[in-house]
Amino acid sequence: MKQFYGVTLKTPLMLGTAQYPSPAILADAFKTSCASVATVSLRRESGRDKSGQGFWSIIRNLDVHILPNTAGCYTVKEAVTTAHMAREIFDTKWIKLEVIGHTDTLQPNVFGLVEAAKILTQDGFEVFPYTTEDLVVADKLLDAGCQVLMPWGAPIGSGQGLNNLQGLRSLRAHFPDIPLVVDAGIGLPSHAAHAMELGYDAVLLNTAVAKAGNPVEMAHAMALAVEAGQAAAIADPMEPRDMAAPSTPVIGKAFLT
């Protein structure tokens, strides 16, 4: 597995921490998923009563890498400010950078994303940019100092899976040495497995687990899916054919008269 800013993850599953029915279910889901990374959305909390500290304590006790994100930020200034707050609270240089450009689809504002990524890398952050599968944008993010790319599979929380397979394949082919993570849109274990089969290095998901009827069982299913997809990619799967090909050779077949 490729390294993420010098870190080798134990598993290629990154899991979000929002929308779970309870803190206990969140903890159990992480345990059964064997996720290596927990993403956390930072919100401004009251400095007087330290609200939210209980949640931060739960996250730290998961014993995984913490990846704070700038979810809900629509401007460069907002994203950069949120990232600095996250570094102070979680004591990590990692940041999942989101600069949202469209309210309905939550599509990244790639212009603001590149600008914010450049600012944050210069400030010493290790940036995980939530982006599209656009090759030009990917090049500019790498030029800005990013060493990881996180293209979306589909709109956040939609559960649609991988909407642009050709785009994702092209991104993987053009950047074979860059760690790539499919982020957003994963709804089923088959979606996660497919992303790994394409040669991606990890998947990041949240809603598919947190909003499932049984989040713990779904987390387990996702763990199995990413493991299977990763193994399939390593096995170098066969290419699809346009026509049938017999699995039993014709040579040596008995002919009846």
Side-chain angles (χ1 to χ4, degrees), residues 47-72:
R48 181 177 59 184
D49 58 14
K50 297 185 182 297
S51 59
Q53 292 305 307
F55 175 74
W56 305 146
S57 178
I58 291 170
I59 299 304
R60 291 190 182 97
N61 289 336
L62 294 175
D63 192 28
V64 296
H65 295 282
I66 305 299
L67 178 59
N69 67 40
T70 62

Side-chain angles (χ1 to χ4, degrees), residues 92-207:
T92 178
K93 294 185 291 185
W94 280 15
I95 190 71
K96 178 191 169 187
L97 179 61
E98 296 183 25
V99 182
I100 301 302
H102 193 275
T103 304
D104 292 334
T105 64
L106 301 181
Q107 179 172 330
N109 174 351
V110 295
F111 306 101
L113 181 68
V114 172
E115 182 181 349
K118 184 175 183 180
I119 293 170
L120 290 174
T121 54
Q122 290 175 345
D123 287 345
F125 285 87
E126 296 173 342
V127 179
F128 293 66
Y130 165 63
T131 183
T132 65
E133 62 277 19
D134 187 285
L135 297 177
V136 176
V137 175
D139 262 328
K140 291 188 177 298
L141 287 168
L142 296 176
D143 289 343
C146 298
Q147 298 179 25
V148 177
L149 298 173
M150 303 180 73
W152 65 345
I156 294 172
S158 69
Q160 295 176 11
L162 310 182
N163 280 351
N164 185 356
L165 288 176
Q166 185 56 42
L168 292 172
R169 287 193 184 100
S170 295
L171 195 66
R172 177 72 285 174
H174 278 77
F175 303 103
D177 300 322
I178 300 298
L180 299 180
V181 182
V182 170
D183 175 18
I186 300 293
L188 294 171
S190 57
H191 300 156
H194 199 176
M196 298 302 296
E197 289 166 4
L198 292 177
Y200 277 70
D201 301 291
V203 297
L204 194 161
L205 56 98
N206 186 173
T207 308

Side-chain angles (χ1 to χ4, degrees), residues 73-81 99 109 111-113 115-117 119:
C73 293
Y74 283 79
T75 68
V76 171
K77 181 178 180 181
E78 189 178 12
V80 170
T81 299
V99 182
N109 174 351
F111 306 101
L113 181 68
E115 182 181 349
I119 293 170

